[in-house]
Amino acid sequence: MKPIVALSRSFLILLNATGFALLCTEASTGQDADGRPAPSVEQVKFFESKIRPVLIQECYGCHSSKTGNAKGGLRLDNEQLMHLGGSSGPAVVPGNVDESLIYNAISYQDFEMPPKKRLSDTIVEDFRKWIEMGAPDPRKTEIAQLRSQISAEDIAQAKREFWAYQKPVMPAIPTIDDESWPRRELDRFVLAGLENAQLSPVADAESSQVLRRLCYDLIGLPPSREQLERFVRAWQKDPDHAVATMVDELLESPQYGERWGRHWLDLARYAESNGREVNMTNPHAWRYRDYVIDSFNVDKPYDRFVQEQIAGDLLPAKNDAQWAQNLIATSFLALGPKSLSERNGAQFAADLADEQLDTTTRVMLGTSVACARCHDHKFEPIPQADYYALAGIFASTETYYGVPASQFGNMGGVQNRNKSNLLRLPIEDPNPFDKTFTSEELEQLTAQMNQARQEIVESRRASSGVGKNSANAKLQIQNVVRIQARMAAISSQLGGVDAQGKPISYCMGVQDRAEPRDARMLVRGEIDQPAQMVPRDFPQVLRDSPVDIAPGSSGRRELANWIASQDNPLTARVMVNRIWQHLLGAGLVASTEDFGSTGQAPSHPELLDYLALKFVDSGWSIKSMIREICTSRTYRLSSAYDLEKFEQDPENRLLWRGTTRQLDAEAIRDSILFVAGRLDLQRPRASEVAKAGYMQVRDGSLINITQLTAFSTDDNGRRDAIREIIQQRAAENSTTIGDRPNDRRRRSRDNLRGMAAGLLNGNSEYTDMVHATYRSVYLPIVRDELPRALDVFDFAEPSMVVGQRETSSTPNQALFMLNNEFVIINSEALAKRVAEATSSPTQRLEQLFQLTYGRSPTTAERSAVRKFVLDFDAHSAAREPPLSTMIALSQALIAAAEFRVID
Amino acid sequence: MLRNLPILCALIACISFQSLAGAFPKDDDPPAKKRADVEARKRDRVAAPGERPKRAEGQNGAGDRQRGNRDPAKMASMMLQKFDKDGDEKLNVEELSAMMTFMQERREQLVGGAGPGNRPRPGANKSSDGKRVDDNEVGGVKPRRPPAE
């Protein structure tokens, strides 16, 4: 045996040398799919002999596709997935032992793998060497090569034939029979369509109806008595001039931006909290709200408005103030809901990019590119590759949406596995509710943190050595969670100030990553099934040639320029359509977020193109377009019903009459305050969410108990502090508890939150904001916890892109009008306002109708009111009804349908 | 690569044979070396598939992973191995200080915070490409200044 073994050994040495030499020749000149040098022979040998056996034996059981396990989202059975890592991050970073979590785990540092038995030092050392040499790994994933079913010819054909993918062309102004009817050129398009269908428009609406329409459409408020009288007089002389003058007046009003800014906030899914399972507040989101309102008020060109929100951080700025506004604008990309408890970091990042991509393309281009995340778009010529081409731009962007870090790190909440920092503004404009701390207070908070850390250590020590399911262990876990929540609140306070205790100014927003990169396609959108890389680009059907992205940049600047370009076939059309929809009740393209083949075709395609080009020519001025539409004949058509016309065009697509519309939630609430004489037109600074600070919202409460009791050193101190807060709030709010179910009184007195919530006597801490008198656009918008006054009247779902709100008529709305404290308070104020103005019952009735409906009561209504008064209160037989009857009457007028309808 | 395939196949076969041949002790190796080899293989040996490591007294599976339930003797052995730099099988003042510092830093990281000079737990706040994002930048992230208009 010995000679044969010896001979074999020599032969093998010779053969190995030859073979390895050949391998070296092949391997050392090659590169892998990611462009890295292919491993050398020695490196492969090292891997095969030292690393792979260990992985197979110790790791694959829980981290490989063969066993179907991927604990912690981690797979270790191929190179790409080891680099991708799991929920904690990449398992291997070639050349970097410190960043390679697999080394951390097998050396039993912060992780301990394998869990049952530590590997020997020699093996751990082998892994270290392997990582340092670049982690050579011949286990290349069979990268799927996804092929699209959508060919270049399909895309080219769609560009040639489908209307939305062709640039707008100025149409010829149509000839019409009735030249006396139009007031604007757009009227000629409308009339031409009606005449072609042998229809004619109805008469104009009454002057009071036109004014009411203009006021609600432009500023979201009813006309004042003075405005009504002035307008009616002017209308009698010259209706066109009256309308034009009033439009100009309303467009100059600051309330215009609040009204039209809110339309944009619906699209931008604006909210002041994250929503979903971890509903953390965003105390700096209000800056974006104010940015949008101000942008509309100054009539910022729409192309610029778009560019700022996509790439404001990259735009030149003439000074720090402008730079700050540009940064705040990028909150548009940071506002979306996120799965903060997602364990897999790669999944979270992919979902974030997807949300940003979807919002941007649907809002600004009316195109659902995100439908191509998992497969080719089913209906549009958008291959899956195009989705990932665009996703690469967003994946190369760092998004900041969380809480400022303190010297203790970034603590974003106990369940928050995807924490984030905030952008520091280059100007001093802190959140007005951020406290300035003295040095003693800073020391106290720091001491609180250190004490809390010690408490956690002690809790963990107390819970160890006993069964994990024991009552003591569970109590200690709860204790740890509570302490961590407290630490997160204190850390957010410390992070909000500088070393001198002065508040720092922050905003949400984005920045380019240090190393932008293309995205890899994913089979069926699955994060662990990578396919080929795709260069960053725009959807082919929407652009003429591949985009040229500047080196080292994400491509967002290029994306912003492309969307805002007048050569983009969709941008102007989509925005003009939205403006039309808000003024006329429905867009020329009814599907405002879908200009694709499954959306609605435009009812007036030439008119759409005409308006789009006019919009661009005006310098992308939204006010100009609003003026154009509001001064048209089409806008002031009556909503009168006509059977013959209705039978021919029941949906009014040809615009033969005006559309009766229900007021939206903000207009209803603002109108109630307006008629009661309690509406405060002053913009409040920041928001209630900013006041509450960083916290997790539950049960509609914005009381940040942890923050309010931060200086209490123990539970007794915290209870005393809460008692004081409750007494103070109770003194501020003497009204009864609102209509929200209140079973919190039944909670244990040991539950600090329950005690606080249960003993509250007012609703000001709840997101309902019953006592707030500012405009509804400034109410706190907390996902899943909307103010009831908004929620019940079809407010836009703040987690979604909403171009057009739904309109419903439900018993809840009627019950709200009858029972809600907000309505009752303001009905009382309306009654008192009228009672103080005049003592005559007839005059009071007249005033009530003028204030609520802008008109005098009819004879039938006077009779009905007389009957109501007599029935409601026996004392009504007296000359002056008691106040309670007036209040009831006021409430009845507010609750009636006419109050909530634009005719 | 394809033209070298026959040679590569032969090579793979040889390597396999070679590994097999190497499993047997070489008869002409001195006994001391044989003993050393066996000891080395024992140290390097990982649990064979299906084999469960012997559980020391007091171990109870998942509870082992909790620090309080570790075998103190094992822990002491690990600490000695890690911090005994001069190899005298005991910790002098310097080595003991290093060990205490290490334990303190680990404790601080475990409670979820990072004191001054400590970095947060690896893997936390990492972007999907493995690079650490600036989530822990105190005072917020300072944005890059754009070009002047």
Side-chain angles (χ1 to χ4, degrees):
Chain A
M1 183 67 171
K2 200 189 295 188
I4 294 173
V5 170
L7 179 63
S8 299
R9 192 173 290 119
S10 302
F11 175 74
L12 287 170
I13 290 171
L14 178 63
L15 192 59
N16 286 348
T18 310
F20 282 135
L22 288 168
L23 269 179
C24 283
T25 306
E26 290 292 345
S28 60
T29 56
Q31 286 185 328
D32 65 13
D34 291 326
R36 292 196 304 267
S40 69
V41 167
E42 283 302 319
Q43 289 176 332
V44 171
K45 182 185 174 188
F46 187 92
F47 176 84
E48 294 291 351
S49 59
K50 305 280 187 187
I51 306 299
R52 191 201 286 256
V54 176
L55 290 174
I56 292 171
Q57 199 147 312
E58 298 296 329
C59 310
Y60 278 18
C62 297
H63 299 290
S64 79
S65 63
K66 291 186 177 51
T67 56
N69 285 331
K71 292 191 178 177
L74 173 66
R75 275 178 51 191
L76 296 173
D77 53 348
N78 73 52
E79 180 196 37
Q80 279 77 12
L81 293 177
M82 282 187 84
H83 292 187
L84 200 65
S87 57
S88 300
V92 170
V93 178
N96 193 329
V97 174
D98 284 343
E99 299 286 329
S100 296
L101 291 181
I102 194 170
Y103 182 79
N104 180 297
I106 63 174
S107 56
Y108 271 41
Q109 295 180 38
D110 300 289
F111 303 94
E112 293 175 359
M113 289 289 156
K116 291 180 182 167
K117 179 186 172 185
R118 188 172 186 265
L119 300 172
S120 70
D121 287 347
T122 308
I123 293 177
V124 173
E125 180 62 18
D126 286 340
F127 270 80
R128 188 189 61 77
K129 283 184 197 165
W130 174 64
I131 294 169
E132 282 181 348
M133 72 172 72
D137 191 342
R139 300 172 306 158
K140 302 297 181 190
T141 303
E142 287 181 17
I143 299 287
Q145 288 292 327
L146 293 174
R147 302 255 184 274
S148 173
Q149 300 299 312
I150 298 173
S151 66
E153 178 49 35
D154 294 333
I155 294 171
Q157 184 181 0
K159 287 168 86 166
R160 281 195 307 270
E161 297 177 3
F162 190 67
W163 70 271
Y165 301 144
Q166 300 164 48
K167 293 177 192 173
V169 173
M170 182 56 82
I173 305 299
T175 51
I176 51 177
D177 296 333
D178 184 1
E179 288 287 344
S180 67
W181 190 80
R183 294 294 183 270
R184 291 284 184 201
E185 282 191 337
L186 70 91
D187 291 321
R188 303 179 73 89
F189 291 91
V190 173
L191 189 59
L194 287 168
E195 287 176 349
N196 284 341
Q198 269 107 50
L199 285 173
S200 60
V202 297
D204 290 352
E206 295 290 326
S207 56
S208 59
Q209 290 173 325
V210 172
L211 177 63
R212 188 175 161 84
R213 210 182 275 180
L214 282 171
C215 287
Y216 273 117
D217 284 346
L218 270 56
I219 64 171
L221 292 170
S224 66
R225 191 79 185 265
E226 180 274 331
Q227 273 177 318
L228 178 61
E229 289 169 357
R230 178 159 45 92
F231 185 78
V232 169
R233 277 199 305 272
W235 177 279
Q236 284 165 352
K237 289 181 192 169
D238 182 352
D240 299 334
H241 186 258
V243 169
T245 305
M246 184 54 67
V247 167
D248 288 340
E249 180 182 318
L250 296 173
L251 288 176
E252 288 307 307
S253 159
Q255 282 72 54
Y256 157 78
E258 292 167 345
R259 174 66 169 163
W260 280 78
R262 183 59 243 181
H263 292 325
W264 186 262
L265 295 178
D266 280 9
L267 291 166
R269 74 265 187 264
Y270 168 76
E272 298 177 77
S273 78
N274 180 69
R276 296 198 181 166
E277 62 281 351
V278 186
N279 199 6
M280 307 302 298
T281 53
N282 293 327
H284 301 275
W286 61 272
R287 295 185 191 276
Y288 177 76
R289 175 202 70 201
D290 287 358
Y291 159 81
V292 169
I293 291 171
D294 292 343
S295 295
F296 274 87
N297 271 333
V298 301
D299 200 21
K300 181 176 291 180
Y302 180 67
D303 58 340
R304 173 75 188 188
F305 185 56
V306 159
Q307 287 176 316
E308 287 179 355
Q309 292 175 87
I310 298 174
D313 57 310
L314 304 171
L315 296 176
K318 55 185 172 208
N319 51 40
D320 282 354
Q322 186 180 27
W323 183 22
Q325 284 300 299
N326 291 349
L327 288 171
I328 290 167
T330 64
S331 300
F332 171 79
L333 293 176
L335 281 172
K338 301 165 191 65
S339 298
L340 295 180
S341 59
E342 171 62 57
R343 289 170 177 267
N344 189 324
Q347 184 69 56
F348 179 84
D351 290 344
L352 175 58
D354 177 72
E355 199 275 332
Q356 293 169 327
L357 182 156
D358 185 41
T359 301
T360 302
T361 53
R362 283 204 290 140
V363 169
M364 296 168 184
L365 300 174
T367 305
S368 55
V369 177
C371 290
R373 182 179 183 182
C374 303
H375 44 67
D376 289 342
H377 201 294
K378 295 294 187 189
F379 306 106
E380 313 304 338
I382 301 176
Q384 192 182 11
D386 281 8
Y387 169 89
Y388 286 95
L390 195 55
I393 294 176
F394 293 101
S396 299
T397 300
E398 192 67 62
T399 308
Y400 298 97
Y401 53 84
V403 62
S406 68
Q407 67 268 38
F408 296 95
N410 190 305
M411 298 186 184
V414 175
Q415 295 168 286
N416 186 350
R417 294 176 184 274
N418 294 280
K419 304 177 182 54
S420 171
N421 211 327
L422 290 172
L423 288 175
R424 184 168 184 150
L425 284 173
I427 56 171
E428 270 201 33
D429 184 29
N431 179 342
F433 300 107
D434 282 345
K435 192 173 161 5
T436 299
F437 292 113
T438 62
S439 54
E440 290 77 23
E441 286 171 330
L442 286 178
E443 282 175 14
Q444 203 173 341
L445 287 175
T446 306
Q448 291 272 332
M449 287 291 284
N450 289 324
Q451 181 189 342
R453 283 156 65 176
Q454 190 57 37
E455 287 174 18
I456 285 183
V457 169
E458 286 164 9
S459 265
R460 287 193 168 139
R461 197 173 289 140
S463 65
S464 66
V466 298
K468 67 176 178 181
N469 291 321
S470 71
N472 181 47
K474 286 179 180 172
L475 196 65
Q476 294 305 329
I477 290 171
Q478 288 172 4
N479 199 33
V480 167
V481 168
R482 196 163 39 239
I483 296 170
Q484 286 179 336
R486 182 152 47 94
M487 289 174 71
I490 298 174
S491 176
S492 70
Q493 287 185 285
L494 287 172
V497 298
D498 59 18
Q500 286 72 45
K502 215 170 132 192
I504 299 174
S505 308
Y506 290 109
C507 74
M508 302 165 74
V510 299
Q511 293 274 279
D512 270 0
R513 284 189 193 274
E515 292 179 18
R517 62 201 174 173
D518 297 332
R520 191 179 284 283
M521 290 180 69
L522 301 173
V523 179
R524 290 186 296 280
E526 297 289 343
I527 204 74
D528 61 349
Q529 296 192 44
Q532 69 270 35
M533 301 282 277
V534 180
R536 278 164 284 153
D537 201 350
F538 308 145
Q540 298 171 76
V541 75
L542 299 176
R543 54 101 171 126
D544 294 325
S545 57
V547 66
D548 186 21
I549 295 178
S553 71
S554 62
R556 268 186 304 118
R557 180 81 193 266
E558 290 78 1
L559 178 66
N561 291 344
W562 170 68
I563 291 178
S565 165
Q566 61 186 21
D567 293 328
N568 190 305
L570 285 166
T571 309
R573 280 178 172 141
V574 169
M575 187 56 187
V576 156
N577 191 58
R578 295 192 191 287
I579 297 171
W580 185 274
Q581 172 233 312
H582 287 304
L583 295 172
L584 278 298
L588 295 170
V589 177
S591 52
T592 52
E593 274 74 68
D594 186 1
F595 273 47
S597 58
T598 55
Q600 301 290 316
S603 59
H604 299 74
E606 293 85 11
L607 174 58
L608 182 63
D609 280 8
Y610 166 80
L611 291 174
L613 290 169
K614 201 166 170 71
F615 182 47
V616 173
D617 284 344
S618 73
W620 301 83
S621 166
I622 295 173
K623 282 190 180 180
S624 295
M625 184 52 53
I626 291 173
R627 187 180 290 111
E628 181 76 15
I629 297 172
C630 287
T631 53
S632 71
R633 197 73 185 269
T634 308
Y635 179 78
R636 68 176 86 146
L637 286 173
S638 163
S639 58
Y641 174 78
D642 183 293
L643 176 63
E644 192 183 320
K645 293 180 173 59
F646 180 83
E647 283 177 348
Q648 205 166 337
D649 180 18
E651 293 182 2
N652 194 33
R653 291 303 286 158
L654 295 175
L655 300 165
W656 54 269
R657 65 165 176 161
T659 306
T660 300
R661 288 173 280 150
Q662 185 160 293
L663 289 181
D664 55 31
E666 292 91 330
I668 293 172
R669 182 180 173 280
D670 290 352
S671 297
I672 293 173
L673 285 167
F674 184 86
V675 300
R678 299 179 72 234
L679 180 64
D680 180 1
L681 292 176
Q682 192 72 22
R683 173 193 287 184
R685 178 80 173 133
S687 76
E688 288 297 315
V689 172
K691 189 175 173 183
Y694 195 70
M695 59 176 283
Q696 188 165 357
V697 183
R698 294 191 185 95
D699 304 325
S701 171
L702 285 176
I703 304 177
N704 194 341
I705 293 178
T706 313
Q707 185 163 297
L708 292 170
T709 59
F711 290 98
S712 305
T713 52
D714 56 22
D715 278 352
N716 286 332
R718 279 186 277 279
R719 285 201 184 88
D720 290 341
I722 289 172
R723 228 173 252 118
E724 198 178 309
I725 292 163
I726 293 167
Q727 286 165 0
Q728 185 186 357
R729 303 291 171 95
E732 288 170 2
N733 304 290
S734 58
T735 55
T736 56
I737 295 173
D739 56 353
R740 196 174 280 278
N742 193 354
D743 62 350
R744 295 177 189 92
R745 286 174 172 163
R746 294 193 288 275
R747 287 191 193 174
S748 163
R749 294 187 79 81
D750 290 330
N751 184 322
L752 300 177
R753 178 198 295 277
M755 182 173 74
L759 292 176
L760 282 172
N761 281 329
N763 275 352
S764 61
E765 291 78 11
Y766 287 82
T767 52
D768 276 359
M769 306 303 300
V770 166
H771 298 283
T773 56
Y774 44 71
R775 290 207 72 181
S776 305
V777 69
Y778 300 114
L779 288 174
I781 305 301
V782 177
R783 289 188 172 119
D784 305 324
E785 305 279 1
L786 291 172
R788 189 154 303 218
L790 302 183
D791 196 24
V792 77
F793 287 107
D794 306 312
F795 185 76
E797 168 53 51
S799 297
M800 296 169 58
V801 171
V802 177
Q804 186 163 15
R805 296 182 183 181
E806 292 180 5
T807 306
S808 68
S809 187
T810 65
N812 276 348
Q813 294 168 353
L815 290 170
F816 175 89
M817 286 298 202
L818 291 176
N819 299 319
N820 189 271
E821 187 182 356
F822 171 79
V823 178
I824 294 169
I825 291 171
N826 288 287
S827 300
E828 184 178 330
L830 172 59
K832 284 181 180 172
R833 181 186 184 188
V834 168
E836 285 163 10
T838 175
S839 56
S840 158
T842 307
Q843 287 300 315
R844 284 177 178 177
L845 184 61
E846 176 71 23
Q847 279 223 0
L848 274 176
F849 268 76
Q850 288 290 347
L851 282 170
T852 51
Y853 302 149
R855 62 173 178 82
S856 298
T858 63
T859 306
E861 286 167 343
R862 288 182 195 277
S863 299
V865 168
R866 196 173 300 116
K867 185 172 184 305
F868 167 80
V869 169
L870 289 172
D871 289 345
F872 189 85
D873 192 327
H875 295 291
S876 304
R879 193 167 171 77
E880 288 188 63
L883 188 61
S884 59
T885 312
M886 281 282 295
I887 295 171
L889 178 59
S890 301
Q891 188 175 1
L893 292 178
I894 289 173
E898 186 173 344
F899 186 79
R900 289 178 277 133
V901 164
I902 307 176
D903 206 355
Chain B
M1 198 70 172
L2 282 177
R3 67 176 184 268
N4 297 320
L5 189 59
I7 298 177
L8 287 173
C9 290
L11 179 64
I12 291 166
C14 290
I15 290 173
S16 305
F17 178 72
Q18 196 173 24
S19 300
L20 190 63
F24 294 97
K26 304 172 191 51
D27 286 349
D28 54 357
D29 286 340
K33 188 170 187 309
K34 287 181 200 175
R35 279 197 298 278
D37 282 347
V38 168
E39 288 304 312
R41 281 196 292 278
K42 277 185 182 174
R43 281 198 303 274
D44 291 353
R45 181 175 176 272
V46 298
E51 178 184 338
R52 295 203 172 274
K54 284 184 185 170
R55 291 174 186 269
E57 197 174 314
Q59 288 183 340
N60 58 351
D64 284 354
R65 290 195 287 281
Q66 295 178 14
R67 296 186 190 285
N69 262 359
R70 292 239 187 92
D71 180 1
K74 273 187 81 176
M75 287 175 64
S77 170
M78 279 167 56
M79 288 296 168
L80 201 64
Q81 203 173 8
K82 193 176 175 76
F83 293 100
D84 181 22
K85 299 299 177 192
D86 56 13
D88 62 352
E89 295 187 2
K90 52 189 175 185
L91 297 180
N92 59 28
V93 172
E94 283 166 1
E95 290 161 348
L96 192 60
S97 297
M99 186 191 82
M100 295 305 295
T101 303
F102 168 75
M103 288 174 67
Q104 185 179 12
E105 286 176 355
R106 284 201 66 190
R107 198 180 306 124
E108 284 169 353
Q109 290 176 17
L110 278 173
V111 299
N118 285 348
R119 67 184 174 91
R121 180 170 70 85
N125 305 322
K126 278 188 184 286
S127 62
S128 62
D129 60 3
K131 297 194 185 300
R132 187 191 304 282
V133 298
D134 38 16
D135 288 341
N136 291 303
E137 190 169 334
V138 179
V141 173
K142 294 176 188 51
R144 289 183 285 279
R145 182 174 285 274
E149 193 164 86

